[in-house]
Amino acid sequence: MAKVIHAFKQQGYRVAAIKHDAHRFEMDHEGKDTWKFAQAGSDVVLINSQEKLAMIEKVESSLSFEAVISYVKDVDIILVEGYKHEAPSKILVVRREEDLTLLSSLKDVIAIATSLPLDEKQIPIYDLDDVEGIVELIQSNILGEIKDGSRS
């Protein structure tokens, strides 16, 4: 996904990346002011600099995909890792043959990205390192663009 993000950035796109973490994650660092604010009970902590804005919000439970993307503004494309049963138009990353079992339970899979030699005939297969091919697929199937970058 990082390579795809980089390729879109090279073409001038504004890109958002969303990662769904099924485990607990921690972005704040103990002892820092933002950590102290959260420990004191703040439900939302924002930190802003000349280059970045970050927000940490306490939630009662994991948010839906739609709720998460509502936070994203002013981008051309949102790339998502996770939310496999919620996110539309997905590329299934297959690292082990067992991962192929997901294909029957997922909707809107437009391709497979893998380094395995697969004999899947129903869906396009891309090598994990075929960043150009994957980017072109996303441009044509999702962004509605043809190879020269114009809208179709």
Side-chain angles (χ1 to χ4, degrees):
M1 192 159 124
K3 291 176 185 178
V4 172
I5 292 167
H6 181 74
F8 275 112
K9 289 302 295 174
Q10 292 294 105
Q11 293 183 29
Y13 287 90
R14 284 194 37 85
V15 179
I18 296 175
K19 164 87 172 128
H20 183 250
D21 186 3
H23 313 286
R24 294 179 179 241
F25 72 92
E26 192 62 53
M27 288 181 59
D28 223 351
H29 299 286
E30 187 173 341
K32 294 292 187 179
D33 287 341
T34 52
W35 180 86
K36 291 175 185 176
F37 302 157
Q39 294 302 305
S42 183
D43 294 301
V44 178
V45 177
L46 282 106
I47 184 168
N48 185 36
S49 72
Q50 293 176 341
E51 298 174 350
K52 297 178 188 174
L53 169 70
M55 180 178 87
I56 302 169
E57 180 177 0
K58 290 181 184 176
V59 294
E60 296 296 317
S61 63
S62 183
L63 299 177
S64 71
F65 175 69
E66 293 298 323
V68 171
I69 65 169
S70 72
Y71 282 88
V72 179
K73 308 284 187 234
D74 301 322
V75 298
D76 301 309
I77 186 168
I78 302 172
L79 298 173
V80 180
E81 182 179 321
Y83 290 106
K84 61 183 154 234
H85 295 288
E86 293 183 69
S89 298
K90 54 192 70 66
I91 298 170
L92 178 62
V93 176
V94 175
R95 297 193 188 278
R96 303 175 320 262
E97 283 203 36
E98 307 87 74
D99 295 340
L100 276 174
T101 60
L102 285 170
L103 198 54
S104 63
S105 66
L106 298 177
K107 293 187 236 171
D108 301 318
V109 176
I110 61 171
I112 294 172
T114 187
S115 58
L116 301 176
L118 297 181
D119 190 30
E120 177 64 43
K121 304 262 192 275
Q122 301 169 349
I123 192 164
I125 297 175
Y126 292 84
D127 186 276
L128 283 173
D129 291 323
D130 184 5
V131 176
E132 183 178 322
I134 292 169
V135 167
E136 285 180 12
L137 173 79
I138 293 169
Q139 286 174 319
S140 64
N141 285 25
I142 298 168
L143 298 177
E145 298 179 4
I146 55 178
K147 192 167 182 139
D148 68 3
S150 62
R151 296 268 174 202
S152 57

